Amino acid sequence: MKRIYNFSAGPAILPLKVLEEAQSEMLDYQGTGMSVMEMSHRSKTYQQIIDDAEADLRKLVGIPSNYKVLFLQGGATLQFSMIPMNLMKNQSADYIISGHWAKKAAEEAEKYGKVNIIASSQDKMFSYIPDLKNLHISKDADYVHICDNNTIYGTKYYELPNTDGKPLVSDMSSSFLSEPIDIKKYGVIYAGAQKNVGPAGTVIVIIREDLIRKDLPSYTPIMMRYDIQAENQSMYNTPPTYGIYLCGKVFKWLLNLGGLEAIHKINVEKAKLIYDYLDGSSMFFGTVEKKSRSIMNVCFKSTSEQLDEKFIKEAKANGFDNLKGHRSVGGMRASIYNAMPVEGVKALVDFMKIFEHQNGGKA
Amino acid sequence: MKRIYNFSAGPAILPLKVLEEAQSEMLDYQGTGMSVMEMSHRSKTYQQIIDDAEADLRKLVGIPSNYKVLFLQGGATLQFSMIPMNLMKNQSADYIISGHWAKKAAEEAEKYGKVNIIASSQDKMFSYIPDLKNLHISKDADYVHICDNNTIYGTKYYELPNTDGKPLVSDMSSSFLSEPIDIKKYGVIYAGAQKNVGPAGTVIVIIREDLIRKDLPSYTPIMMRYDIQAENQSMYNTPPTYGIYLCGKVFKWLLNLGGLEAIHKINVEKAKLIYDYLDGSSMFFGTVEKKSRSIMNVCFKSTSEQLDEKFIKEAKANGFDNLKGHRSVGGMRASIYNAMPVEGVKALVDFMKIFEHQNGGKA
């Protein structure tokens, strides 16, 4: 059995312990004589699995009782539609455009009402988080939408916009559970599991109860109603049972590790290892403004595209996979989610130093 | 490691060989050094997995080249909305109501146009497939919708309605791949994977290309457009990668077994074992009309509710799990999908005989 250091932006690395547990339970979950994926979602055993997952997530994040936790399908992209369908009472919302996915979310919302782009960093290829001072929040806005961590560009919000009391909606797909979250500051948080939490096919939604409406447009598909999903505790139809089971294992892994403060400390340490090296290198450099740097997705380039290509190829041969940057940015991207061990990042930096030295850099 | 005979209606039993393979590949898929669930859906390795899954499904079923195969999320319930959103050009469709899910599909379609119920078996608690002679197909109907196999009641279509040339749309969630399918007779087939094909969270859609429209209502969520999903080969966003991988393994398992004719023969044999016993029993009896009997979900009762309860309890203690019927029908239901071996059904029948004998029956 070979395991490599997997820097994929998502679907991404999962904790080895979680995979090993899933492996050992694959044919027989705790003496039931069946795999979790063979279980009725209405069985007591499965109910316990999803109840534990929710309870552990609530404990891990500190989710107040006036917020619902939903495990849904369709990824963040289906949330791009569900958010405006369910929240646009006045058919108006403010969006801050900090990257590709934030833009996609805004474009989708335009189907359901007026979308006001109140800030954007598209002028410099999304290499920074827009200035949040002097934002003009629309009077009739039903919510303000941000994308917390921009996977493609490697940027992250370090302060939140003042929304003038409007609910803040945050797409946290690539930063969820990487640091403590003060849930009270948000109206809705959503996150596709496949980056930092579990396998693709589950999206987690945390929504303040008073934002769940019943008077929705008649065309709203029943599966896309937060009220229906909340009333049925994510089981209006068969949920992605196996994915939720794995998310639950990741929550337990994080609790055992000491919770979100503990993992945040580790994540900061991992990111610092790479960024410090990049800042001292004569060959590699980070591609975004320092104050906007993500601790989950580290984007960088070398002095030439040829060298980028050579680096990616040699890195792969040495057991560091999925370092190619997104096609819209080029260069490299090291996604260092919770499950990436510190040793993986140290090994990568060591490899970069050797590569730099061997290819004429000063290191 | 214990394995029991699992008669769950869904999520349901999977082939042991498929689970064993998934188990062995959990930490390292074919030397890549990562689990399939840790792989980028844009990687060459994963592209091969989804391409193989589609190719194997096409081979297994014999899907003509003018049909698209999609692997989507949201289960059959999201299809209840997607079908009318995408197909209702004239805002009209005909539905045949043969059970709970067919009814749910029709109710959802009413949000998007006029729904004509052209036949129903609700008068006798859905214990038969409605008479298909003298159907009045609506002139302006965009399609005719049926639910092929009714999981809750245990009934199945053995002939198809004459739709006067309108596209036939069939929800095959609980019968897909249990028998040969003549795809040309259908406009759209859809099936939630969690009954006969794979884990929950993947729904398979087979759609004739000319039914894929671009001029859709402006409110259609981008994820719910067949044109977008088809153009992007089910990868407009991250698909349920692990679920599709498992579906692919099930397709290969069926091909190795000899294909749909071979599995159909086995399924008929399994169903006959139970139905023959039921028809001769003085204690147990089938609950649906003989000519509508499903070969996937066998619903039956004993002479009293107390005896039903006793039977379910003792069966479970003897390694036959999930035999309780749906709450709306009561009694028992043995779901004997493809993955249930003949020995499992034989063992169940033997157990029923003993139970009947021990509890005062004639057997």
Side-chain angles (χ1 to χ4, degrees):
Chain A
M1 196 269 294
K2 177 177 113 179
R3 290 281 294 173
I4 51 99
Y5 289 122
N6 176 12
F7 294 92
S8 174
I13 186 171
L14 288 166
L16 182 57
K17 188 174 182 302
V18 166
L19 292 174
E20 284 171 344
E21 276 181 29
Q23 184 179 43
S24 78
E25 293 170 347
M26 180 61 94
L27 306 183
D28 176 17
Y29 176 76
Q30 299 187 354
T32 55
M34 59 184 100
S35 175
V36 170
M37 51 181 110
E38 299 178 297
M39 261 172 216
S40 169
H41 56 300
R42 307 285 180 204
S43 65
K44 275 183 198 156
T45 310
Y46 192 76
Q47 189 65 53
Q48 194 63 53
I49 290 172
I50 192 169
D51 286 350
D52 284 353
E54 180 175 338
D56 286 339
L57 179 60
R58 285 186 174 274
K59 189 175 165 192
L60 184 63
V61 181
I63 302 174
S65 60
N66 64 324
Y67 284 76
K68 293 282 187 195
V69 172
L70 306 174
F71 297 98
L72 306 178
Q73 295 186 60
T77 305
L78 200 60
Q79 293 306 309
F80 295 171
S81 323
M82 258 177 104
I83 294 285
M85 273 181 164
N86 283 269
L87 265 60
M88 270 191 176
K89 202 172 175 172
N90 301 322
Q91 273 87 52
S92 169
D94 290 353
Y95 277 71
I96 300 179
I97 309 298
S98 58
H100 174 80
W101 297 112
K103 201 176 164 184
K104 285 273 187 192
E107 284 168 5
E108 188 66 10
E110 278 173 5
K111 292 180 181 169
Y112 309 101
K114 195 164 143 280
V115 169
N116 320 293
I117 308 299
I118 57 169
S120 168
S121 54
Q122 195 165 5
D123 60 335
K124 291 184 186 164
M125 256 275 277
F126 300 123
S127 59
Y128 65 103
I129 295 294
D131 187 4
L132 301 177
K133 282 180 218 81
N134 309 316
L135 285 178
H136 292 283
I137 304 294
S138 308
K139 278 220 169 99
D140 63 348
D142 290 306
Y143 59 89
V144 178
H145 183 280
I146 62 169
C147 179
D148 183 60
N149 186 82
N150 299 282
T151 324
I152 294 178
Y153 310 95
T155 62
K156 154 104 180 89
Y157 281 78
Y158 286 96
E159 55 170 333
L160 293 178
N162 177 344
T163 61
D164 276 354
K166 308 292 185 192
L168 180 62
V169 177
S170 182
D171 175 359
M172 287 197 184
S173 293
S174 51
S175 57
F176 189 59
L177 306 187
S178 68
E179 61 179 1
I181 313 168
D182 187 356
I183 297 288
K184 290 188 310 297
K185 292 183 176 166
Y186 300 87
V188 184
I189 287 169
Y190 62 98
Q194 74 276 12
K195 295 181 185 292
N196 214 14
V197 188
T202 300
V203 57
I204 295 169
V205 177
I206 302 171
I207 181 167
R208 215 175 62 209
E209 276 173 353
D210 63 289
L211 297 174
I212 300 176
R213 290 166 54 213
K214 290 216 148 281
D215 55 325
L216 300 183
S218 62
Y219 55 71
T220 313
I222 191 139
M223 285 286 287
M224 294 180 72
R225 296 184 63 117
Y226 289 127
D227 60 333
I228 295 289
Q229 294 287 7
E231 283 162 19
N232 290 278
Q233 296 167 309
S234 310
M235 296 235 229
Y236 178 72
N237 74 340
T238 317
T241 51
Y242 197 69
I244 295 169
Y245 152 79
L246 284 162
C247 290
K249 285 195 179 295
V250 171
F251 303 152
K252 279 202 198 303
W253 176 77
L254 284 168
L255 284 169
N256 285 334
L257 215 93
L260 297 186
E261 302 231 356
I263 193 73
H264 183 225
K265 212 177 135 191
I266 298 169
N267 286 331
V268 167
E269 182 194 342
K270 288 187 295 184
K272 192 173 181 311
L273 281 169
I274 310 193
Y275 284 124
D276 281 355
Y277 165 68
L278 290 175
D279 290 343
S281 166
S282 66
M283 177 176 284
F284 295 107
F285 58 94
T287 53
V288 303
E289 269 193 13
K290 285 191 181 180
K291 65 177 180 180
S292 300
R293 281 174 166 175
S294 166
I295 59 169
M296 291 283 102
N297 312 97
V298 179
C299 294
F300 58 100
K301 289 184 174 178
S302 75
T303 42
S304 78
E305 283 182 27
Q306 289 78 359
L307 212 51
D308 287 353
E309 251 180 68
K310 191 176 181 215
F311 173 77
I312 292 161
K313 202 178 152 185
E314 290 186 15
K316 188 178 164 84
N318 281 274
F320 306 98
D321 207 357
N322 293 314
L323 282 166
K324 197 172 157 62
H326 190 271
R327 63 187 182 282
S328 63
V329 179
M332 280 71 70
R333 172 176 52 179
S335 295
I336 49 174
Y337 296 117
N338 288 350
M340 172 60 65
V342 178
E343 311 89 74
V345 176
K346 279 187 181 155
L348 174 65
V349 171
D350 287 345
F351 176 76
M352 289 172 79
K353 284 179 186 165
I354 294 167
F355 183 89
E356 182 172 352
H357 182 70
Q358 286 176 341
N359 290 275
K362 69 165 180 39
Chain B
M1 194 268 295
K2 175 177 113 179
R3 291 279 295 171
I4 51 99
Y5 289 122
N6 174 14
F7 294 92
S8 173
I13 187 171
L14 288 166
L16 183 58
K17 189 175 181 305
V18 166
L19 292 174
E20 284 172 343
E21 277 181 30
Q23 184 179 43
S24 77
E25 292 170 347
M26 179 62 93
L27 307 183
D28 176 16
Y29 176 76
Q30 300 189 352
T32 55
M34 59 184 101
S35 175
V36 170
M37 53 181 108
E38 300 178 297
M39 263 172 215
S40 169
H41 55 300
R42 306 286 180 201
S43 65
K44 275 182 198 157
T45 310
Y46 191 75
Q47 188 66 52
Q48 193 65 52
I49 290 172
I50 193 170
D51 286 350
D52 284 354
E54 179 176 339
D56 284 339
L57 180 60
R58 284 186 175 276
K59 190 175 164 192
L60 185 63
V61 182
I63 302 174
S65 60
N66 64 324
Y67 284 75
K68 292 282 187 195
V69 172
L70 305 174
F71 297 98
L72 305 179
Q73 296 186 59
T77 305
L78 200 60
Q79 293 306 308
F80 294 172
S81 322
M82 256 177 106
I83 294 284
M85 274 182 163
N86 283 267
L87 265 60
M88 270 193 177
K89 203 172 174 172
N90 300 322
Q91 274 88 51
S92 170
D94 289 353
Y95 278 71
I96 299 179
I97 310 298
S98 57
H100 175 80
W101 298 111
K103 200 176 166 186
K104 284 273 186 191
E107 283 167 7
E108 188 66 9
E110 278 172 6
K111 293 179 180 169
Y112 309 101
K114 194 163 144 281
V115 168
N116 320 293
I117 308 298
I118 56 169
S120 168
S121 54
Q122 195 164 6
D123 60 336
K124 290 184 188 165
M125 257 274 278
F126 301 122
S127 59
Y128 65 104
I129 295 294
D131 187 4
L132 302 177
K133 281 180 219 87
N134 311 316
L135 286 178
H136 292 282
I137 304 294
S138 307
K139 279 221 167 97
D140 62 349
D142 289 307
Y143 59 88
V144 178
H145 183 281
I146 61 169
C147 179
D148 184 59
N149 185 82
N150 300 281
T151 324
I152 294 178
Y153 310 94
T155 62
K156 154 105 181 89
Y157 281 76
Y158 286 96
E159 57 170 332
L160 294 177
N162 177 344
T163 62
D164 275 354
K166 309 291 184 192
L168 180 63
V169 176
S170 180
D171 176 357
M172 285 197 186
S173 293
S174 51
S175 57
F176 189 58
L177 306 187
S178 68
E179 61 179 359
I181 313 169
D182 187 356
I183 297 289
K184 291 188 310 297
K185 291 183 176 165
Y186 300 87
V188 184
I189 286 170
Y190 61 98
Q194 74 276 12
K195 293 178 187 294
N196 214 14
V197 189
T202 301
V203 57
I204 295 169
V205 177
I206 302 170
I207 181 167
R208 213 174 64 207
E209 277 174 354
D210 62 288
L211 297 175
I212 301 177
R213 291 166 54 213
K214 291 216 149 282
D215 55 325
L216 299 183
S218 62
Y219 55 71
T220 313
I222 189 139
M223 284 287 287
M224 295 180 70
R225 298 184 61 116
Y226 290 126
D227 61 333
I228 296 288
Q229 295 287 6
E231 283 163 19
N232 290 277
Q233 294 166 312
S234 310
M235 297 236 230
Y236 177 74
N237 75 341
T238 317
T241 51
Y242 197 69
I244 295 169
Y245 152 79
L246 285 162
C247 290
K249 285 195 181 294
V250 172
F251 303 152
K252 277 200 200 306
W253 176 77
L254 284 168
L255 284 168
N256 285 333
L257 215 93
L260 297 186
E261 303 229 358
I263 194 73
H264 183 225
K265 212 178 135 189
I266 297 169
N267 287 331
V268 168
E269 182 194 342
K270 288 187 296 186
K272 193 173 179 313
L273 281 169
I274 308 191
Y275 285 124
D276 281 355
Y277 165 67
L278 290 175
D279 291 343
S281 167
S282 65
M283 177 177 285
F284 297 107
F285 58 96
T287 53
V288 302
E289 269 193 12
K290 285 191 180 180
K291 65 179 183 179
S292 300
R293 282 174 167 178
S294 166
I295 58 168
M296 292 283 100
N297 313 98
V298 179
C299 293
F300 58 98
K301 290 185 173 175
S302 75
T303 42
S304 79
E305 282 182 27
Q306 290 77 356
L307 212 50
D308 287 352
E309 251 180 67
K310 190 175 182 219
F311 173 76
I312 292 162
K313 202 178 152 187
E314 290 186 15
K316 189 178 162 85
N318 281 274
F320 307 97
D321 207 357
N322 293 313
L323 281 166
K324 196 172 157 65
H326 190 272
R327 64 186 179 282
S328 63
V329 179
M332 280 74 71
R333 172 177 51 179
S335 295
I336 48 174
Y337 296 118
N338 288 350
M340 172 59 66
V342 177
E343 310 88 77
V345 176
K346 279 186 182 158
L348 174 66
V349 171
D350 287 345
F351 175 76
M352 289 171 79
K353 283 179 187 165
I354 295 167
F355 182 90
E356 183 172 352
H357 181 70
Q358 287 176 342
N359 289 274
K362 70 165 177 42

